[in-house]
Amino acid sequence: MASRGLSAAALELGLAAQRERGGQGGQGSQGSRIGEILLEQKAISEADLLGALAEQQQLEFFATLPREIDAAFTDLVAIGFLKKYRMVPLADDRGRWIVAHDPFLFQPMDDLRQILAWPDAPVALAPQAAIAAAINYAYDISRDSAEQVMQDMREEDTQLIISEIEERGDLLDDTSDAPIIKLVNLMFSQAVRGGASDIHIEPYRNRLVIRQRIDGVLYDMLSPPKHIQATLVSRIKIMARLNIAEKRLPQDGRTEVRIADRNVDVRVSTLPTSFGERVVMRLLDKSSVLLNLTDLGMPAESFARFQQLIKAPHGIILVTGPTGSGKTTTLYAALTTINNTDINIITIEDPVEYQIEGIGQVQVNPKIDLTFANGLRSIVRQDPDVILVGEIRDLETARIAIQSALTGHLVFSTLHTNDSSSAVTRLIDMGIEPFLVTSAVNGILAQRLIRVLCKECREPFQPSEESLVRIGLTADMIAGHTIYRDRGCDACLNTGYRGRNGIFELLHMDDAIKNLILKTSDANAIRRKAIDRGMTTLRRDGARKVLEGKTTIEEVFRVTEQEAVRIEEL
C-alpha cells in the first residue's frame, strides 16, 4: 500500500485506530476493516485501496465501468440484491466478471453466479460510485420501452382506478404492471437521465404530446394515444396531491420522486385548455451540487467586480433575466461565497430550491398572506446582515428592499428585464424615485444561459461574414481561433450540446452612471454610457465564448436580443 500513496505513519495511525476499536478476525475482515479506517482518515483514496486489494488478491481492478452494459441480467436478479451487496455482473467481448466493491462477500457472489449460471465468473473490484451507476443504468434501460408500454394501453386501461400511493420509493424498483404507472415512471426516468429541467404534457385535438426541456430547448419525448390523456393527467395529479375532480381551474402542487441515487423535487402545474388539461412539471434534482462563482463562466473583469459588490457592507445587487436564465443559481453561488459564521443571512424565496447550511430560508405562502413584502418586513426585524428577496414583483417589495439597503443591509434580488440598464427603468416605472435607485443600487447583473458544445462531436468550420457580423465579430477578430458548429452524436442525444454556461453583463453603478440616471431613465442612454465606460454586453461575452470554442454563433444569437447590433457597441 505504501507504493499507492500510503505513508508508514498514516498506516500506523490506522492500525492504532483499529486496535482501539477491537478490530480482530481473519485476513478478510481485518483487511477490510483497516481499509475502512484509512478511508475515514483520508489517508488513502478508494481507488488506491481497491487497487491494493486487487493486487493482494490477484483480481482485476476497474477504475471505471463501461457507460453502457449488457442489461440481460435484470430479468433474473432483483435490483435490491445488487444494491445491498454493491456488486454488478459485467459481460463484454473480453469475458464475464462479478464486479464488487468488497472482495470478501463470498456467499452473495456464489449466489449471483448460481442465479446467472456463470459458475466460473471471476471477481473484479470497482469503486462504489461506478457500480451504483452501472446498476442504475442497467435497470433503467431494461424497463419496457415507452413504445411497448403505450402499445399495452388499450381502451379499457382508461378505466383504471389509480390508488393513492405515497411516491417515495425508487421508481426503478417499482414493478407495477399498470401501464399508466409504468409510463409515468418511464417518463420521469428518461427525463432525469437526459438531464431535462421540465416535462410538458400537451393535449391537442387528435393527439397528445409529451416534451422535455433539455439545456433550455424543448424536444419531443413521447406521443401516447389520445385516449389515455385523462388517466395520465389523473396519475400526475394524484402524485402531486391535487384535486383530480377539478378540471376547470388551474392547480399547482408538488411531489418528490427518487430515481436510483437521485432525489428529484417535482413542481406540477395544470392548466385547463380547449382540448383538456395541460401539465408542466419542473424537475429539480436535489442531489445536484451548488455551483461556485468560479464555475458560472463569468468573464474575468466582471467576476472581479462582482466579487467586490457581494462583499459590500450594504446596498442592493440585482440579477436580471428571463425565467430559466440561471438567476437563482448565481444568487446561491454568491450567498455560498460570503456565507460564514460572522454574518446573519436570511432569504425569502418562492420556492426554496436548495437548502444551504447556515442560512435561514423562508418560503413564500400567499394562502396565509406570507408574501415577499410581508416576509421582508419580518426579516428586517431578525437582525440580518444579508437579505435575499427571491424577486421584486411590486412597488411595496421594492420600497422595503430599498429602505433595507439604505439602513445598512446588503440585499440580493432579481428582476425580469432583458438587460441590466432596463432594470433601472423598471424600478423607476414601479414608482421608485431615481435618487433612491442611485443611492441604494450597487450593481445590476444581466445574464442568459447558452448551451455548451459537445466535445465529442463538435466540428470546426469557417463561418460566413454575415454570421460573424450578427454577433459583433470580424475576420480579424477570429484570426488564430477555431470556430465550431454543432453536429450531434449519441453522447449528446444528437443535440450537439451538453450542458450550459452563463453569459453576463454587469452594470456597475459608478458616479457617471448615477448622474445620468438622475437626468434620465432611458435604458438605451444608460446602456450606451455603460458601454462607453467598459461594460461587457451579453452578446460580446457570448462572442468571446464562441472564440473560446465553447458554443456556436447561432446559440449566442438565439439567447441574446434578436435585433441587429453595431459592432462598436459590443
Side-chain angles (χ1 to χ4, degrees):
M1 285 189 184
S3 64
R4 290 183 173 269
L6 179 64
S7 67
L11 178 59
E12 183 54 41
L13 284 174
L15 290 171
Q18 184 189 36
R19 288 192 292 269
E20 287 178 9
R21 300 183 191 184
Q24 300 294 332
Q27 182 182 358
S29 63
Q30 196 173 27
S32 177
R33 182 67 178 277
I34 184 64
E36 292 175 5
I37 292 171
L38 292 172
L39 281 176
E40 288 175 11
Q41 296 178 340
K42 294 182 169 39
I44 191 171
S45 70
E46 182 185 26
D48 287 339
L49 173 62
L50 293 174
L53 284 172
E55 287 181 11
Q56 183 186 54
Q57 303 295 321
Q58 296 183 336
L59 304 175
E60 286 272 1
F61 170 61
F62 300 130
T64 60
L65 294 177
R67 184 172 177 269
E68 298 183 5
I69 67 173
D70 185 349
F73 64 84
T74 57
D75 291 332
L76 302 172
V77 187
I79 187 175
F81 176 82
L82 298 182
K83 284 184 174 182
K84 178 179 179 181
Y85 294 110
R86 294 177 294 181
M87 58 186 182
V88 64
L90 176 63
D92 59 22
D93 53 3
R94 297 172 299 161
R96 301 188 296 195
W97 293 271
I98 304 297
V99 182
H101 182 259
D102 186 344
F104 305 110
L105 297 174
F106 303 115
Q107 187 60 52
M109 290 176 187
D110 287 341
D111 292 341
L112 186 56
R113 288 190 186 97
Q114 185 174 354
I115 293 170
L116 298 173
W118 293 4
D120 301 321
V123 174
L125 300 184
Q128 289 189 63
I131 293 172
I135 293 172
N136 295 333
Y137 177 82
Y139 282 85
D140 191 0
I141 65 169
S142 69
R143 295 298 187 201
D144 293 338
S145 70
E147 289 75 16
Q148 289 174 319
V149 171
M150 289 187 291
Q151 287 174 7
D152 291 340
M153 292 178 175
R154 300 174 297 277
E155 287 292 338
E156 56 266 28
D157 291 331
T158 61
Q159 305 303 319
L160 287 173
I161 304 300
I162 306 173
S163 58
E164 195 162 344
I165 301 172
E166 286 287 330
E167 295 293 333
R168 288 296 180 268
D170 189 338
L171 292 188
L172 299 182
D173 289 332
D174 192 341
T175 58
S176 171
D177 290 329
I180 201 70
I181 296 177
K182 292 165 83 174
L183 178 63
V184 171
N185 291 355
L186 271 167
M187 183 176 65
F188 282 123
S189 177
Q190 289 183 11
V192 171
R193 184 153 54 92
S197 60
D198 301 84
I199 301 174
H200 292 220
I201 300 176
E202 303 173 356
Y204 300 101
R205 182 184 298 277
N206 298 314
R207 62 193 180 103
L208 180 65
V209 178
I210 300 177
R211 300 199 290 171
Q212 59 183 340
R213 188 181 297 278
I214 300 176
D215 292 337
V217 177
L218 279 170
Y219 298 95
D220 285 346
M221 187 180 186
L222 303 168
S223 292
K226 175 72 174 175
H227 70 260
I228 74 159
Q229 176 180 318
T231 314
L232 176 61
V233 172
S234 293
R235 174 64 179 171
I236 299 295
K237 289 169 77 172
I238 283 174
M239 292 176 68
R241 300 178 184 83
L242 300 178
N243 182 359
I244 62 173
E246 179 55 78
K247 300 179 181 180
R248 301 164 302 168
L249 295 174
Q251 296 186 66
D252 293 305
R254 63 172 298 277
T255 185
E256 185 177 313
V257 297
R258 184 159 57 87
I259 299 173
D261 54 347
R262 303 168 75 173
N263 289 316
V264 181
D265 194 43
V266 184
R267 299 204 300 272
V268 180
S269 172
T270 68
L271 182 72
T273 70
S274 300
F275 304 112
E277 288 183 282
R278 191 178 193 275
V279 182
V280 173
M281 291 168 280
R282 170 64 58 90
L283 308 181
L284 180 67
D285 189 347
K286 299 172 99 174
S287 61
S288 298
V289 179
L290 285 174
L291 295 177
N292 294 318
L293 276 179
T294 52
D295 300 325
L296 300 179
M298 205 176 291
E301 61 271 22
S302 299
F303 178 73
R305 176 71 70 182
F306 191 66
Q307 277 196 309
Q308 293 176 353
L309 292 176
I310 66 175
K311 294 176 181 177
H314 53 79
I316 292 181
I317 298 169
L318 294 173
V319 180
T320 76
T323 301
S325 60
K327 301 186 295 294
T328 302
T329 299
T330 297
L331 288 174
Y332 278 0
L335 290 184
T336 303
T337 300
I338 64 175
N339 184 23
N340 60 62
T341 56
D342 298 338
I343 60 175
N344 179 23
I345 304 176
I346 303 179
T347 75
I348 180 161
E349 308 170 58
D350 183 22
V352 175
E353 295 193 1
Y354 293 96
Q355 299 289 341
I356 307 177
E357 186 67 29
I359 292 179
Q361 296 173 270
V362 179
Q363 168 76 53
V364 166
N365 189 347
K367 293 180 180 178
I368 58 173
D369 203 29
L370 180 53
T371 61
F372 279 116
N374 291 338
L376 190 50
R377 283 196 194 90
S378 299
I379 284 174
V380 295
R381 294 193 289 270
Q382 290 282 314
D383 187 31
D385 299 292
V386 179
I387 301 169
L388 167 64
V389 184
E391 183 184 347
I392 294 178
R393 296 177 178 173
D394 51 44
L395 175 60
E396 188 178 14
T397 307
R399 279 177 172 162
I400 301 170
I402 293 279
Q403 291 301 323
S404 299
L406 293 175
T407 53
H409 303 93
L410 182 61
V411 180
F412 293 91
S413 192
T414 69
L415 272 178
H416 285 273
T417 61
N418 288 329
D419 56 27
S420 54
S421 54
S422 299
V424 175
T425 308
R426 173 82 177 116
L427 287 173
I428 294 173
D429 284 346
M430 279 184 177
I432 302 298
E433 295 291 339
F435 74 89
L436 288 176
V437 174
T438 58
S439 300
V441 179
N442 293 348
I444 304 169
L445 181 74
Q447 68 178 73
R448 299 287 191 280
L449 290 177
I450 55 169
R451 293 179 293 171
V452 176
L453 278 165
C454 173
K455 292 184 179 180
E456 302 292 330
C457 65
R458 66 178 183 177
E459 58 183 18
F461 85 116
Q462 182 61 42
S464 66
E465 184 176 346
E466 180 185 357
S467 63
L468 289 174
V469 170
R470 290 171 76 189
I471 62 166
L473 292 175
T474 64
D476 292 339
M477 291 179 184
I478 68 171
H481 298 276
T482 302
I483 307 298
Y484 293 93
R485 64 182 173 190
D486 58 293
R487 191 178 65 184
C489 64
D490 291 341
C492 60
L493 303 178
N494 290 312
T495 63
Y497 300 90
R498 292 183 72 179
R500 288 188 289 179
N501 210 325
I503 55 174
F504 300 90
E505 174 183 291
L506 179 60
L507 173 62
H508 178 231
M509 301 283 281
D510 59 17
D511 290 341
I513 298 294
K514 289 179 179 179
N515 289 334
L516 179 61
I517 292 171
L518 292 174
K519 297 174 184 176
T520 178
S521 61
D522 180 17
N524 290 326
I526 297 169
R527 178 180 176 82
R528 285 192 295 269
K529 186 70 171 180
I531 291 171
D532 290 342
R533 298 189 61 77
M535 181 181 77
T536 300
T537 64
L538 288 168
R539 192 167 293 186
R540 184 174 181 180
D541 191 22
R544 180 180 303 173
K545 288 180 169 60
V546 169
L547 295 178
E548 293 171 354
K550 292 181 178 179
T551 192
T552 62
I553 293 173
E554 292 75 19
E555 178 66 10
V556 172
F557 191 72
R558 180 183 72 85
V559 300
T560 55
E561 294 131 9
Q562 299 300 303
E563 68 270 11
V565 233
R566 297 196 307 273
I567 295 174
E568 61 267 23
E569 286 186 349
L570 295 169

